[in-house]
Amino acid sequence: MSRGGYDRFVDQSFVGRDAELGLLRDSLAKVAAGTGAAVLVEGEQGIGKSSLLRTGLYRAAAAGCRMLWGAAYELDQRFPLRLMEECLGPATPEPVLAETLAAAAGAFAGDPVLAGIERMLARVDRLCVVSPVVLVTEDLHWADEVSLLVWHRLARAVGQLPLLLVGTYRPGTGSEDLERLRRGVAGRGGNVIELGPLPGAQVAELVGNLLGGRPGQRLASAIGHAGGNPLYARELADGLVREGKVRVSGGVADIVGEQTPVRVPDSLDAAIAERLAGLAENAVAVLRWAAVLGAEFSVTDLQAVSGQSAGDLMRMISAAIGAAVLAEAGERLAFRHGVIRQVLYEGLPAALRAALHIQAARALADAGATAERVAAQLAAAQRMAGPDAEFASDWAADWLAAKAPVLIHRAPQVAAELLRGVLAGLAGDDDRREILEASLAIDSFLLLRTEEVERIAGRLAASARDPDRAAEMAWLVAYSRMRQGRLAEADAAIATALARHGHAAAVARLIALRAMIAVLLGQFGESARIADEALAAASRSGDRLATGYALHARSMLSAVQRDHETALAENGRALDVIRDDPQATDLRVLVLANRISLLSELDRWPEAMDEARRGLALAERAGTPRVVTARQALADQYFTCGQWDDALAELEPSAGMPGPDYLSLLIHGMISLIAAHRDDWQRAEEHLGRVPDELMDHPAAQGNTHYFLVAKAMVAERATGPAQAAQVLAAVLDPGLAERMVGCHLLFLPLARLALAVGDTATAAAAAVGARKAAEREPLRSRVALAEHCQGLVDGDAAAVLAAAGYFEASGRVLDQAAALEDAAELMAQQGDTASARQALAAALDAYQRLGAAWDIRRADARLRRFGLRRGRTRYPTRPQTGWEALTPTETKVALLVAEGRSNPDIAACLSLSRNTVQTHVSHILGKLGARSRVEIIRISLEHS
Ligand SMILES: Nc1ncnc2c1ncn2[C@@H]1O[C@H](COP(=O)(O)OP(=O)(O)OP(=O)(O)O)[C@@H](O)[C@H]1O
Ligand SMILES: [Mg+2]
């Protein structure tokens, strides 16, 4: 068990709190039976939060639960994932290896913090399959924000895991994130226990238990100062006993001497100070060192920082344990209560505290502590000095110069502050300046602080003595500008750097980046030449990353020149070259994303889908911020080939996740569109409403409005008829907009159909022309078929429309196929070929049925009834809403794996899905089956297998 173990100081003398204990024991029984819950306990310092949990959850192990218990500490607050690591072990399986990799990866790796979040969530999933888990996270008011995020996401999963998630915090001290967490728990029906003062009778009982006699009147009135705070009450009682002022006789404990007035310390802190006053001075000095180390510490660390001999130290420690100041906590030592540490710590003058923190950092570093622990001490010292204040420690500068490359990946915010502080205290010509500044520049790049990248990396690109470093800095500046769409300036930065450092080994990366920028600038001839130059330079220096970027640039170029086969080959070579190089994580996600769109444009669906799933799993594991993009790309594939339920399972977890703005148009647009096809108008309108109006006016967003507009048109068609709907779609007739809109081809067909329905042949013809132009711009087989369908519809050419339907069927585009069959059926019916029309209609309805597109079935039916065609006897049952039959094919697979006792990450690996997608499936399964736990899924699935 980690520090803060629950078996420490178990209270034999716990009194009262019956309702709260009942709730905890109840939750424990439920989790032991497979149903999780989230519980928060709120209350002031010393009110009894920890004791309550220890008492209420004491029997967890006996109930078959695994108990994990950890606390957040003030010093660790800004270290991502610290609290969760405290409870669940280190985020990276092999810290040493991970440190080496992080250091080597510079600016090119994924985000280890995001990756750590996924690993933590996956770990809990796996633990929960072995046995129910009780996870207690104490003192959330000091938790790092990333751990709070993990908490939040775990809390959302307690419905599907045997996980009892418990947290404590002091009110009024936490962050906005904590407040959100609290609202989330309360909102989802979890419990928030507010612990108030203990009633007088129970305080009397507590003190009575301690002293072995019921408090008499004078003692009771002295203890009354504690205002129902049990810790304070205990301290007061202990103090009176220490001073020999209490006598127990006849079962009553009271203060001796009727006359003399008793003086009681007027605060909890004062009571603690009196407790400490009983210890020898040198022991208090050592305890202050311990307070600098934190709420818990090892004897080794304390020895290292205090410089005491082992023998002396042991004597002082046992005295402190005797005085109930320290207590043993597994192999470590802990202050018996946080307040004791606080009183010791705050008793030190600030300047001295800062110096002690630096000394502690040094001692810890010498003793081989991790970079984070050393940095926590340095950060505490820095905070004494104030933000951005100079931080004059020669030792710290040395240490940071060596460790910053690791630290910027583990704790980027803290690293930035320390680097700034140390740099402020360094002489202008100090040798260490360059490496420290370069680390700060990379850190700023990772934190997306573009202004700082410009300033610091920009300066170093011009002035660094090491040419490779200068080239790397120029790369940062250029890439950061490219990310912001400042292409010409990005190009200029590279040109300058190449002129200066043409011989640096890192030059190949610069040239490769320039090739990418040239493609984006539309300078195709130029970019081909530059990409070749980059490839040559990269092969001279053996730089795989640069080769990868250059090949990626070539592939982009071939794609914009419509040579998709070549683009795909170059893309494949790029992947081969970078393989699993940790430096290339970000590039790999990028290259995979392009691969997916190339494959699907070439109608190579199964491969596209595989790659899309692979891309998403990689993005999730590596923790790149591109994960939502990868999810959306996969949803696109599912949508086009008619696996709509799977598309929805990808989209749901994306909604509300951070990502570029335009993604919300694609996400909500597609959810709404599927809902409209499925006759679920409430949902369709709800998701349309989630897209903010201002987004629609944004030029960058307009290119991604295709799903949104088609969904909006369907809603309009149902509400007010085809004329209104056609008006919504007519926006795409503006050639400027059509050119910018990636999915404009999706709009022309419904526009033509709606226009024809109201006799507006001119608009229908314009739509056919628009479709043809889109196909000319991008002469893909699918675009051409859509254009032919559209033209055929306008011309009344059933054969042309049927031919398109044939292609759509062969290439697995279910919705396109159904729409073409429906149109062909109407045309054939108009022309009197009832038999063929009936056949086409049946095939269309069958395809719609597979999609669950109830609205389209109704429409097709109504359209053809005019010609005397009926659905015939075939019924088109919609999938039931609940029960085993309600499960989609993928949900059924997931349910069967759950029934085998597999965890979400294992199921994810087995079905090549992302863990979060599986989580979404499991919560749908629970909902449809009306089950409350995985155990119930097992039972129900056994009945069906
Ligand atoms: N109901 C109770 N019965 C008996 N003793 C109690 C009770 N509640 C708290 N105490 C005592 O009070 C002390 C402080 O309680 P505890 O450590 O649980 O407080 P806390 O709310 O967790 O404080 P913090 O915010 O500092 O973590 C403990 O030493 C415990 O023995
Ligand atoms: Mg506590």
Side-chain angles (χ1 to χ4, degrees):
M1 173 148 330
S2 68
R3 43 182 184 167
Y6 76 107
D7 44 1
R8 281 165 44 194
F9 341 132
V10 170
D11 253 309
Q12 306 302 340
S13 55
F14 193 80
V15 301
R17 310 285 195 206
D18 293 336
E20 292 84 356
L21 284 174
L23 191 147
L24 288 173
R25 290 181 181 140
D26 214 38
S27 308
L28 192 59
K30 285 200 183 122
V31 77
T35 305
V39 179
L40 283 172
V41 183
E42 152 182 327
E44 64 176 38
Q45 183 172 51
I47 203 69
K49 303 180 290 295
S50 305
S51 313
L52 173 74
L53 294 184
R54 283 196 292 266
T55 311
L57 301 173
Y58 183 57
R59 296 190 46 78
C65 300
R66 166 125 186 203
M67 175 65 97
L68 298 165
W69 196 296
Y73 295 101
E74 214 173 351
L75 279 187
D76 293 342
Q77 211 166 352
R78 286 173 316 143
F79 289 81
L81 286 171
R82 270 315 278 138
L83 170 59
M84 286 299 158
E85 291 192 317
E86 216 28 70
C87 303
L88 296 162
T92 41
E94 292 171 74
V96 179
L97 179 66
E99 286 203 358
T100 324
L101 291 182
F108 303 98
D111 183 334
V113 172
L114 292 180
I117 295 179
E118 280 307 318
R119 264 199 296 271
M120 288 295 176
L121 294 169
R123 198 169 295 165
V124 174
D125 274 349
R126 291 213 171 87
L127 286 171
C128 282
V129 162
V130 180
S131 70
V133 171
V134 179
L135 175 58
V136 179
T137 54
E138 284 245 62
D139 302 327
L140 291 174
H141 48 277
W142 284 325
D144 63 274
E145 56 182 322
V146 182
S147 290
L148 286 179
L149 184 65
V150 172
W151 209 101
H152 186 78
R153 288 180 57 186
L154 285 174
R156 279 201 314 219
V158 293
Q160 59 172 268
L161 293 174
L163 170 67
L164 178 56
L165 181 64
V166 187
T168 63
Y169 63 93
R170 300 182 192 155
T173 44
S175 57
E176 177 51 31
D177 294 325
L178 182 56
E179 196 32 52
R180 251 200 307 279
L181 194 107
R182 183 200 142 96
R183 280 198 302 270
V185 169
R188 271 187 308 272
N191 292 292
V192 180
I193 300 177
E194 290 173 30
L195 281 190
L198 212 52
Q202 286 167 6
V203 175
E205 190 183 339
L206 182 166
V207 172
N209 288 345
L210 284 176
L211 304 185
R214 181 167 44 81
Q217 207 191 346
R218 299 192 70 210
L219 179 58
S221 115
I223 300 295
H225 278 90
N229 182 304
L231 177 64
Y232 193 4
R234 279 188 70 149
E235 287 301 322
L236 290 179
D238 271 6
L240 292 167
V241 171
R242 264 198 320 270
E243 289 168 24
K245 291 201 181 124
V246 177
R247 184 185 308 135
V248 186
S249 95
V252 175
D254 212 344
I255 294 174
V256 289
E258 297 274 311
Q259 312 319 332
T260 40
V262 271
R263 189 199 53 82
V264 290
D266 58 4
S267 69
L268 179 54
D269 287 8
I272 302 278
E274 290 195 2
R275 177 184 290 281
L276 293 169
L279 291 167
E281 219 168 279
N282 60 350
V284 174
V286 166
L287 287 171
R288 290 200 200 282
W289 268 116
V292 167
L293 284 175
E296 288 198 17
F297 49 90
S298 71
V299 179
T300 328
D301 286 350
L302 186 56
Q303 197 182 345
V305 297
S306 69
Q308 296 282 336
S309 74
D312 285 348
L313 200 59
M314 287 328 290
R315 265 189 298 284
M316 292 175 206
I317 287 171
S318 22
I321 292 177
V325 168
L326 293 182
E328 285 174 39
E331 290 171 3
R332 300 158 63 90
L333 289 167
F335 286 98
R336 203 198 78 239
H337 200 277
V339 213
I340 304 180
R341 174 196 167 256
Q342 205 174 304
V343 168
L344 280 161
Y345 185 75
E346 281 165 7
L348 292 162
L352 182 57
R353 256 186 263 166
L356 293 183
H357 277 301
I358 296 179
Q359 275 188 60
R362 197 167 176 167
L364 288 172
D366 289 345
T370 61
E372 279 116 308
R373 286 193 59 212
V374 178
Q377 290 293 336
L378 288 178
Q382 160 108 63
R383 217 157 337 139
M384 307 277 123
D388 293 325
E390 75 176 54
F391 187 65
S393 157
D394 209 40
W395 177 82
D398 276 345
W399 182 83
L400 210 52
K403 292 292 183 179
V406 171
L407 203 60
I408 56 176
H409 288 279
R410 292 302 186 75
Q413 317 270 3
V414 176
E417 262 167 56
L418 287 179
L419 284 164
R420 268 192 236 115
V422 165
L423 279 165
L426 227 50
D429 58 353
D430 193 296
D431 280 345
R432 293 163 296 189
R433 189 166 266 286
E434 193 169 302
I435 180 160
L436 291 169
E437 283 185 347
S439 294
L440 183 55
I442 298 177
D443 199 18
S444 307
F445 181 82
L446 296 172
L447 290 169
L448 300 177
R449 290 184 181 154
T450 46
E451 189 273 326
E452 229 168 337
V453 174
E454 282 287 326
R455 194 161 41 77
I456 305 169
R459 193 174 56 234
L460 282 176
S463 68
R465 273 162 295 180
D466 173 350
D468 277 322
R469 182 166 293 136
E472 187 189 3
M473 293 296 121
W475 191 95
L476 289 184
V477 172
Y479 203 98
S480 165
R481 288 178 183 173
M482 181 178 79
R483 262 195 317 218
Q484 300 166 66
R486 296 159 53 196
L487 298 173
E489 293 165 82
D491 189 53
I494 298 183
T496 315
L498 287 175
R500 270 197 201 120
H501 308 288
H503 300 294
V507 92
R509 292 181 187 187
L510 280 173
I511 307 177
L513 183 59
R514 192 167 198 197
M516 270 170 75
I517 293 171
V519 180
L520 296 173
L521 280 167
Q523 304 164 345
F524 299 152
E526 225 1 47
S527 72
R529 191 187 57 71
I530 304 175
D532 288 339
E533 195 188 319
L535 280 175
S539 90
R540 274 198 303 277
S541 57
D543 185 340
R544 287 203 288 157
L545 191 70
T547 309
Y549 271 107
L551 286 168
H552 176 58
R554 290 213 59 133
S555 168
M556 282 166 65
L557 181 61
S558 302
V560 293
Q561 294 178 321
R562 323 248 181 269
D563 181 356
H564 290 88
E565 295 287 352
T566 309
L568 192 64
E570 286 158 343
N571 175 285
R573 278 173 60 206
L575 278 179
D576 282 347
V577 169
I578 53 181
R579 261 172 282 151
D580 40 15
D581 186 340
Q583 281 201 55
T585 307
D586 193 54
L587 176 60
R588 194 155 64 247
V589 176
L590 204 67
V591 172
L592 268 178
N594 270 23
R595 182 168 194 79
I596 295 156
S597 70
L598 287 169
L599 285 168
S600 61
E601 279 167 359
L602 291 166
D603 285 343
R604 288 164 62 174
W605 289 107
E607 289 164 84
M609 211 93 89
D610 277 355
E611 297 287 13
R613 281 193 286 252
R614 207 152 70 94
L616 172 57
L618 171 73
E620 193 171 271
R621 265 201 325 275
T624 94
R626 299 187 200 271
V627 78
V628 187
T629 318
R631 215 172 257 295
Q632 210 283 320
L634 180 56
D636 248 343
Q637 315 290 309
Y638 282 135
F639 179 79
T640 313
C641 67
Q643 289 175 239
W644 289 1
D645 295 305
D646 293 319
L648 290 173
E650 298 304 339
L651 295 173
E652 271 173 40
S654 325
M657 292 255 288
D661 271 354
Y662 70 85
L663 279 175
S664 82
L665 266 168
L666 292 172
I667 291 166
H668 293 297
M670 193 188 286
I671 297 179
S672 175
L673 183 56
I674 293 177
H677 278 294
R678 290 182 163 177
D679 229 359
D680 183 351
W681 300 98
Q682 197 186 340
R683 188 166 152 91
E685 291 192 37
E686 181 201 324
H687 282 274
L688 287 182
R690 294 235 202 130
V691 175
D693 288 340
E694 27 334 328
L695 193 56
M696 296 301 295
D697 303 329
H698 202 277
Q702 282 173 349
N704 293 288
T705 46
H706 42 289
Y707 295 127
F708 181 87
L709 287 178
V710 178
K712 195 169 165 188
M714 289 181 76
V715 169
E717 183 181 2
R718 175 170 174 273
T720 46
Q724 297 286 332
Q727 240 170 44
V728 173
L729 295 175
V732 75
L733 294 177
D734 167 2
L737 181 61
E739 269 184 43
R740 258 182 294 143
M741 201 190 287
V742 256
C744 70
H745 55 282
L746 297 174
L747 278 71
F748 293 116
L749 185 76
L751 176 58
R753 185 179 56 70
L754 290 163
L756 288 176
V758 294
D760 179 358
T761 46
T763 300
V769 172
R772 198 186 68 227
K773 289 207 172 125
E776 281 165 8
R777 271 198 307 275
E778 261 187 301
L780 297 164
R781 192 65 194 85
S782 59
R783 302 268 199 287
V784 174
L786 258 177
E788 284 167 2
H789 175 184
C790 215
Q791 192 65 51
L793 180 64
V794 172
D795 297 345
D797 180 353
V801 178
L802 265 184
Y807 159 76
F808 291 134
E809 181 178 10
S811 63
R813 293 175 155 83
V814 186
L815 181 64
D816 291 334
Q817 180 205 351
L821 285 167
E822 177 190 334
D823 286 342
E826 188 184 37
L827 292 177
M828 292 187 291
Q830 271 168 1
Q831 290 150 13
D833 184 355
T834 319
S836 307
R838 174 165 295 123
Q839 213 182 349
L841 174 66
L845 294 177
D846 185 58
Y848 284 137
Q849 162 69 15
R850 274 182 281 143
L851 297 170
W855 164 253
D856 300 77
I857 291 180
R858 284 225 311 275
R859 184 200 49 226
D861 201 38
R863 243 172 117 186
L864 282 136
R865 200 172 303 151
R866 291 188 291 130
F867 302 96
L869 267 78
R870 302 220 158 252
R871 292 188 201 183
R873 247 163 300 143
T874 327
R875 283 185 54 242
Y876 293 95
T878 44
R879 198 188 283 135
Q881 301 282 314
T882 57
W884 188 260
E885 273 64 45
L887 303 186
T888 68
T890 309
E891 284 165 5
T892 308
K893 282 189 218 159
V894 172
L896 292 173
L897 289 166
V898 169
E900 284 178 20
R902 309 265 208 125
S903 67
N904 289 358
D906 294 339
I907 298 173
C910 186
L911 300 179
S912 311
L913 294 171
S914 95
R915 196 199 62 84
N916 283 300
T917 309
V918 173
Q919 184 168 325
T920 308
H921 285 309
V922 173
S923 69
H924 288 173
I925 295 168
L926 287 167
K928 289 179 180 175
L929 299 183
R932 276 177 322 229
S933 67
R934 294 172 95 92
V935 182
E936 289 186 34
I937 297 183
I938 299 179
R939 184 177 55 69
I940 298 171
S941 75
L942 282 176
E943 290 165 12
H944 289 271
S945 57

